[in-house]
Amino acid sequence: MHRRPAHIILALLGSAAALSLPATSFAQSPEPEGEAGEAAVQDIVVTARYRKEDAQKVPIAISAISGDRIAAQGAFNLKQSIQQLPSLNIQGFSGRNQTITIRGIGTNSGGTNDGLEQGVGLYVDGVYRPRTGSVITDLIDVESIQLLRGPQGTLLGKNTVAGAIDVKTRAPSFTNEARAEASYGNYDYARGYLSLNAALSDTLAVRLSYLRTSRSGLIRNIVYNEDWDNLDNHSARFDLLYKPADNVRLRFIADYSIQKGDVGFQSIARVLPTTLNDGMQVRGFYRRAADVGYAPGSVNAFDRQVDLDSSQYDKMPSYGFQAQLDVDLPGVTLTSISAYRNWKWIPNYDGDQIGAEISTLGVVDTDQQQVSQEFRLASTGERTIDFSAGLYFFWQEADDKQRTVYGRDAVGWLRTANTPTATVSPLPSVILDGLEAFAHVVPATHSYAAYGQATWNVSPRFRVTGGLRYTYEHKTGLYDAEARGDVTPISALPAAVQATAIALRAAYAAVASYYVKNNSNNLSGTLIAAYDVSDDVHAYYSYSRGYKSPGINLVRQTLGVDVFVKPEKVDAFELGVKSRLAEGAVELNGALFWTKDQNYQANYANTQVSPAAYYIANVGTLRSRGVELDARFAPVEGLSATFAATYNDAKYTRYTNAVPDYLNSYRTSIDLSGRQASGAPKWSLGGTVEYVHPAGGEKEFYVGADGSYRSSYFASVNLDPFSRVPGSALFGAHAGLRRSDGRWDVSVWVRNLFDKDYYNTISVNATYGVAMAAIGEPRLYGLTLRGKI
C-alpha cells in the first residue's frame, strides 16, 4: 500500500520518540553510576579545527559515521552511506557525473562540467579531492566520515560554500594486527578485504590493505543479452608511519583504485508528451524512432532493461601519494601535508543512450592531476587564545578529450523538422554518419591561500571565534576543436547536397581554437560566539562567508557565452544547540540555518542553437533556510539509536532568465524566482537502531535496522516537471554474532529491505523526446565474515 510522505515522516518521528522514552525514565530514576556509564552514548571525536575535540563542544553542525557502522549496514561507498546524513544529497549516473549538495547548496544538479568546481569540499586524510569520482568508489580502511555543514571557507578553503565531507582512514599502529573480511550476496556480489598492520621497529609501522569488490549487473541490455551496471573494483593502500620521537609523526600514504564495468548509463523513465503548453504539436520520440526504423524497448526504467546498441564500458583509475608531518611543540602542533594525485576517466559510451544510432559515441576522456601543499600551525586547545594558521597551495589540470561520433540515424533524427506532419529529411545519412566532433580541453588552476582562525576563551563558558582566509587564483583554459571521423568525402556526395553537407558538418563538428586566462582573489571568513549553558548544554551563533571559484566555459562559443563566470559568494547564519541529557543517555543537537548564495553557478543549456550548447552561467541567487535535528540514544545497556532530520526551504530567490522546461520550450526563457531549488528535498530523515545482547562466554548477538526518507525534488536546474524525483523511504536491517573483542564477526544484512523502486536522478532530453533516469539499487542482501588477529 502506498504511504504518503507525511505518514512516513510521522512514522519515523514516532519511532525516534519511542526510542527516547526509556531515556526519559532513566533520567527520572537514575541508576548507579556504573550502569549509567554503560548506557551513555559514546563521545565522538572530530578534527574540524585541526585538533581532536569532542563534537559536542565544537560550534559547528557536524555529523559523523564510523566505518564500522557503514560496514554493518552492508554499504561500501560514500553514495550508499548518505541515508544517515539527511542534509547531504548525491545525484549522478557515472563516476564522472556526480553532483553533491548540502542543505541544497553545492554543485547544481544535471551533470558535470570541468569548468564548474564543486561547492562541497571532499577531503581524505586532509587532502582536497576536486573530483567526486575519486571519493565515491569503494571505501577502504575508513575510520570515520565527518560531514561539516555550512561554509567552511576559513580553515578548509575555497569550494566549501555548502560544507565539507572529511574522510579519515585508519592509521598504522605499533600493534601487529591482521584484518580480513569476506562477503557474498545476491547478484553474485562478492567483496574481499585484507589488511596487515605490522610494527617494523620501535619507530616504524606499516599498514598494507587490499579490497576487491565485484557484482553482476542490475540492468539487462536486451541488445547484447548481457547484465550491465556491474562492479569490478580494486583498491590498495600502503600506509607507513614513522615516529622517531614522541612528538614527531610522519605518515606516508600511497593508494590506487580502479573501477571498471558496463556502467554510467541511464534508462528511459518516460516518453515526453507531444503537445506543449501553447498547444503546439511536436514530433516526439515514437515518431522520430519510426523515421529511422528504430523499434524502442522498455520505456519504464524499473523494468531494468535498456537497448543501448554501442559500448558502455568504462574504467576509472585513481592513485596518489601524500605525506603528513606533525611536530608537537609546547602548546602547538606544526603540520605539513604534501600530496600528488591523478584521476582518469576512460569511458566508451553510447552517445544517445538508446537503441538508435544517432550518436554512437559520446565521451569526455579525462586525465586530471593535482598537487597540494599545506603548512599549518595549530594550538592544542589549552590556551586563553587557541588558534590555527596556515599557508596553502593547490594546482590542478584536467586534460580532456571530448568526442561525439554521429551515426547513420543522425540525419533522419536531427534534421527532420519538429512537427508531426513534416517529411523525413531526404538528405543522405552519409552526410553525418561517422562524423566526429573532437575537442581538446585543458582547464588549469593555480590557487594560493593564507588563513588564520583564533578562539578567545573569554571565560570558562564563553568563547568567541573569528577567522579570515585570503585566496588568490590564476586560471587558464585551452580549447582546440576540430572535425574528425571516417566520413564520406564531400566530393563523393551528390552535387545538390554538397553545400548543405559542408554547412551541417561545420555546425555539428565546429572548428575553433582559443586560450584564455583569468586572475581573481577573495576574502572569506567566519565569526562564532559559543556559550556553555551548562556542562552538558552548548549553544552557538555563527556567521560565515564562503567562496566558490570562478567558473570557466571551455565550449564551442555561441552568442552570449561568457568564458569566465563570476565566483559564488555565500553568506550563512546559524544558531545551534548541542546537549547531553539523562545523565549522558541522550544526545540532542539542533540547528537553525539561513544561507544566501549569490551568483549561483549552474550548467546552462542554450537550445536556441543547433546542436544545443551547454555551458556555465551565473543564473541568479539561491536561499536555503531550515532546521536540523541530530539525536543519539542509549536508553539501556546494549540498546543504541540515532535519528536525524532536516527541513530545508531552499529556493531560487532570483532566477529570471532560466532555460525553459520542455513543455515551455517554445519560449526564450522563464522566471523561476520563488521556486524550490533543484536537488533540494524539503524533508530528509534518517535513523538507526541496534541492540547488543550477551550470548554466553565472550560472544554477543546484535540486531539492527536503519531507515531514511527524502521528499520529492526536481533533478534539473530549470525545475522541469519531468525531472521530478518522487519522495522515497528506504530501510535496511542487519544481525550477527561476534566475539566481544572483535576477533570474529558473522553477520547478515539487507539494503532496500522492501525492494523499493526509486530514482537517483532524472534528466530531460528534448532532442530524443524522453526523460532519462539513473535508478537506485534493488534489494541487496548478503553474508559477511570478519576476523582479526
PDB file of all heavy atoms in Angstrom, residues 556-572:
ATOM      1  N   ARG A 556      32.258  25.310 -27.293  1.00  0.00           N
ATOM      2  CA  ARG A 556      32.032  25.986 -28.574  1.00  0.00           C
ATOM      3  C   ARG A 556      31.338  27.308 -28.292  1.00  0.00           C
ATOM      4  O   ARG A 556      30.281  27.355 -27.667  1.00  0.00           O
ATOM      5  CB  ARG A 556      31.163  25.084 -29.464  1.00  0.00           C
ATOM      6  CG  ARG A 556      30.719  25.720 -30.758  1.00  0.00           C
ATOM      7  CD  ARG A 556      30.036  24.677 -31.622  1.00  0.00           C
ATOM      8  NE  ARG A 556      28.877  24.093 -30.967  1.00  0.00           N
ATOM      9  CZ  ARG A 556      27.637  24.551 -31.118  1.00  0.00           C
ATOM     10  NH1 ARG A 556      27.407  25.608 -31.882  1.00  0.00           N
ATOM     11  NH2 ARG A 556      26.627  23.968 -30.496  1.00  0.00           N
ATOM     12  N   GLN A 557      31.946  28.384 -28.700  1.00  0.00           N
ATOM     13  CA  GLN A 557      31.424  29.697 -28.368  1.00  0.00           C
ATOM     14  C   GLN A 557      30.172  30.023 -29.183  1.00  0.00           C
ATOM     15  O   GLN A 557      30.136  29.868 -30.400  1.00  0.00           O
ATOM     16  CB  GLN A 557      32.481  30.772 -28.619  1.00  0.00           C
ATOM     17  CG  GLN A 557      33.675  30.658 -27.671  1.00  0.00           C
ATOM     18  CD  GLN A 557      33.263  30.835 -26.215  1.00  0.00           C
ATOM     19  OE1 GLN A 557      32.904  31.910 -25.799  1.00  0.00           O
ATOM     20  NE2 GLN A 557      33.325  29.747 -25.456  1.00  0.00           N
ATOM     21  N   THR A 558      29.138  30.435 -28.506  1.00  0.00           N
ATOM     22  CA  THR A 558      27.912  30.891 -29.139  1.00  0.00           C
ATOM     23  C   THR A 558      27.563  32.246 -28.558  1.00  0.00           C
ATOM     24  O   THR A 558      28.143  32.696 -27.582  1.00  0.00           O
ATOM     25  CB  THR A 558      26.759  29.900 -28.877  1.00  0.00           C
ATOM     26  OG1 THR A 558      26.594  29.735 -27.465  1.00  0.00           O
ATOM     27  CG2 THR A 558      27.044  28.548 -29.513  1.00  0.00           C
ATOM     28  N   LEU A 559      26.594  32.878 -29.167  1.00  0.00           N
ATOM     29  CA  LEU A 559      26.210  34.219 -28.738  1.00  0.00           C
ATOM     30  C   LEU A 559      25.805  34.226 -27.271  1.00  0.00           C
ATOM     31  O   LEU A 559      24.980  33.435 -26.831  1.00  0.00           O
ATOM     32  CB  LEU A 559      25.044  34.729 -29.602  1.00  0.00           C
ATOM     33  CG  LEU A 559      24.605  36.175 -29.360  1.00  0.00           C
ATOM     34  CD1 LEU A 559      25.721  37.134 -29.726  1.00  0.00           C
ATOM     35  CD2 LEU A 559      23.349  36.478 -30.173  1.00  0.00           C
ATOM     36  N   GLY A 560      26.396  35.111 -26.482  1.00  0.00           N
ATOM     37  CA  GLY A 560      26.002  35.263 -25.092  1.00  0.00           C
ATOM     38  C   GLY A 560      26.775  34.442 -24.095  1.00  0.00           C
ATOM     39  O   GLY A 560      26.485  34.492 -22.903  1.00  0.00           O
ATOM     40  N   VAL A 561      27.777  33.672 -24.533  1.00  0.00           N
ATOM     41  CA  VAL A 561      28.546  32.847 -23.611  1.00  0.00           C
ATOM     42  C   VAL A 561      29.717  33.657 -23.054  1.00  0.00           C
ATOM     43  O   VAL A 561      30.555  34.153 -23.800  1.00  0.00           O
ATOM     44  CB  VAL A 561      29.083  31.573 -24.302  1.00  0.00           C
ATOM     45  CG1 VAL A 561      29.943  30.780 -23.336  1.00  0.00           C
ATOM     46  CG2 VAL A 561      27.939  30.731 -24.811  1.00  0.00           C
ATOM     47  N   ASP A 562      29.772  33.795 -21.738  1.00  0.00           N
ATOM     48  CA  ASP A 562      30.920  34.400 -21.077  1.00  0.00           C
ATOM     49  C   ASP A 562      31.919  33.300 -20.762  1.00  0.00           C
ATOM     50  O   ASP A 562      31.577  32.292 -20.146  1.00  0.00           O
ATOM     51  CB  ASP A 562      30.505  35.088 -19.776  1.00  0.00           C
ATOM     52  CG  ASP A 562      29.624  36.295 -20.020  1.00  0.00           C
ATOM     53  OD1 ASP A 562      29.856  36.995 -21.017  1.00  0.00           O
ATOM     54  OD2 ASP A 562      28.693  36.521 -19.213  1.00  0.00           O
ATOM     55  N   VAL A 563      33.174  33.484 -21.170  1.00  0.00           N
ATOM     56  CA  VAL A 563      34.184  32.455 -20.932  1.00  0.00           C
ATOM     57  C   VAL A 563      34.375  32.258 -19.436  1.00  0.00           C
ATOM     58  O   VAL A 563      34.428  31.133 -18.942  1.00  0.00           O
ATOM     59  CB  VAL A 563      35.515  32.827 -21.615  1.00  0.00           C
ATOM     60  CG1 VAL A 563      36.596  31.810 -21.254  1.00  0.00           C
ATOM     61  CG2 VAL A 563      35.337  32.891 -23.124  1.00  0.00           C
ATOM     62  N   PHE A 564      34.486  33.363 -18.694  1.00  0.00           N
ATOM     63  CA  PHE A 564      34.653  33.263 -17.242  1.00  0.00           C
ATOM     64  C   PHE A 564      33.359  33.669 -16.545  1.00  0.00           C
ATOM     65  O   PHE A 564      32.715  34.649 -16.910  1.00  0.00           O
ATOM     66  CB  PHE A 564      35.820  34.120 -16.770  1.00  0.00           C
ATOM     67  CG  PHE A 564      37.156  33.550 -17.131  1.00  0.00           C
ATOM     68  CD1 PHE A 564      37.846  34.033 -18.229  1.00  0.00           C
ATOM     69  CD2 PHE A 564      37.704  32.504 -16.404  1.00  0.00           C
ATOM     70  CE1 PHE A 564      39.073  33.490 -18.584  1.00  0.00           C
ATOM     71  CE2 PHE A 564      38.926  31.955 -16.750  1.00  0.00           C
ATOM     72  CZ  PHE A 564      39.620  32.445 -17.845  1.00  0.00           C
ATOM     73  N   VAL A 565      33.015  32.889 -15.555  1.00  0.00           N
ATOM     74  CA  VAL A 565      31.774  33.082 -14.813  1.00  0.00           C
ATOM     75  C   VAL A 565      32.115  33.588 -13.409  1.00  0.00           C
ATOM     76  O   VAL A 565      33.073  33.121 -12.782  1.00  0.00           O
ATOM     77  CB  VAL A 565      30.990  31.756 -14.724  1.00  0.00           C
ATOM     78  CG1 VAL A 565      29.688  31.948 -13.971  1.00  0.00           C
ATOM     79  CG2 VAL A 565      30.735  31.214 -16.122  1.00  0.00           C
ATOM     80  N   LYS A 566      31.356  34.519 -12.926  1.00  0.00           N
ATOM     81  CA  LYS A 566      31.643  35.134 -11.630  1.00  0.00           C
ATOM     82  C   LYS A 566      31.667  34.090 -10.514  1.00  0.00           C
ATOM     83  O   LYS A 566      30.933  33.106 -10.558  1.00  0.00           O
ATOM     84  CB  LYS A 566      30.587  36.189 -11.305  1.00  0.00           C
ATOM     85  CG  LYS A 566      30.570  37.383 -12.240  1.00  0.00           C
ATOM     86  CD  LYS A 566      29.438  38.332 -11.872  1.00  0.00           C
ATOM     87  CE  LYS A 566      29.363  39.499 -12.834  1.00  0.00           C
ATOM     88  NZ  LYS A 566      28.221  40.405 -12.496  1.00  0.00           N
ATOM     89  N   PRO A 567      32.496  34.304  -9.504  1.00  0.00           N
ATOM     90  CA  PRO A 567      32.521  33.361  -8.369  1.00  0.00           C
ATOM     91  C   PRO A 567      31.238  33.448  -7.553  1.00  0.00           C
ATOM     92  O   PRO A 567      30.568  34.480  -7.521  1.00  0.00           O
ATOM     93  CB  PRO A 567      33.725  33.825  -7.548  1.00  0.00           C
ATOM     94  CG  PRO A 567      33.878  35.275  -7.883  1.00  0.00           C
ATOM     95  CD  PRO A 567      33.477  35.405  -9.320  1.00  0.00           C
ATOM     96  N   GLU A 568      30.900  32.347  -6.909  1.00  0.00           N
ATOM     97  CA  GLU A 568      29.793  32.353  -5.964  1.00  0.00           C
ATOM     98  C   GLU A 568      30.265  32.906  -4.631  1.00  0.00           C
ATOM     99  O   GLU A 568      31.379  32.619  -4.194  1.00  0.00           O
ATOM    100  CB  GLU A 568      29.254  30.929  -5.741  1.00  0.00           C
ATOM    101  CG  GLU A 568      28.429  30.383  -6.870  1.00  0.00           C
ATOM    102  CD  GLU A 568      27.801  29.037  -6.516  1.00  0.00           C
ATOM    103  OE1 GLU A 568      27.660  28.745  -5.311  1.00  0.00           O
ATOM    104  OE2 GLU A 568      27.471  28.279  -7.441  1.00  0.00           O
ATOM    105  N   LYS A 569      29.407  33.676  -3.996  1.00  0.00           N
ATOM    106  CA  LYS A 569      29.677  34.169  -2.650  1.00  0.00           C
ATOM    107  C   LYS A 569      28.479  33.819  -1.772  1.00  0.00           C
ATOM    108  O   LYS A 569      27.336  34.112  -2.108  1.00  0.00           O
ATOM    109  CB  LYS A 569      29.937  35.669  -2.662  1.00  0.00           C
ATOM    110  CG  LYS A 569      31.215  36.037  -3.406  1.00  0.00           C
ATOM    111  CD  LYS A 569      31.541  37.514  -3.303  1.00  0.00           C
ATOM    112  CE  LYS A 569      32.858  37.836  -4.010  1.00  0.00           C
ATOM    113  NZ  LYS A 569      33.220  39.273  -3.915  1.00  0.00           N
ATOM    114  N   VAL A 570      28.780  33.181  -0.667  1.00  0.00           N
ATOM    115  CA  VAL A 570      27.731  32.649   0.195  1.00  0.00           C
ATOM    116  C   VAL A 570      27.823  33.276   1.583  1.00  0.00           C
ATOM    117  O   VAL A 570      28.906  33.300   2.189  1.00  0.00           O
ATOM    118  CB  VAL A 570      27.846  31.115   0.308  1.00  0.00           C
ATOM    119  CG1 VAL A 570      26.859  30.578   1.333  1.00  0.00           C
ATOM    120  CG2 VAL A 570      27.596  30.474  -1.049  1.00  0.00           C
ATOM    121  N   ASP A 571      26.709  33.786   2.076  1.00  0.00           N
ATOM    122  CA  ASP A 571      26.599  34.284   3.449  1.00  0.00           C
ATOM    123  C   ASP A 571      25.699  33.331   4.217  1.00  0.00           C
ATOM    124  O   ASP A 571      24.563  33.057   3.799  1.00  0.00           O
ATOM    125  CB  ASP A 571      26.027  35.697   3.481  1.00  0.00           C
ATOM    126  CG  ASP A 571      26.976  36.716   2.867  1.00  0.00           C
ATOM    127  OD1 ASP A 571      28.067  36.895   3.411  1.00  0.00           O
ATOM    128  OD2 ASP A 571      26.612  37.301   1.822  1.00  0.00           O
ATOM    129  N   ALA A 572      26.209  32.835   5.346  1.00  0.00           N
ATOM    130  CA  ALA A 572      25.466  31.832   6.103  1.00  0.00           C
ATOM    131  C   ALA A 572      25.406  32.212   7.576  1.00  0.00           C
ATOM    132  O   ALA A 572      26.416  32.586   8.176  1.00  0.00           O
ATOM    133  CB  ALA A 572      26.120  30.463   5.952  1.00  0.00           C
TER     134      ALA A 572
END
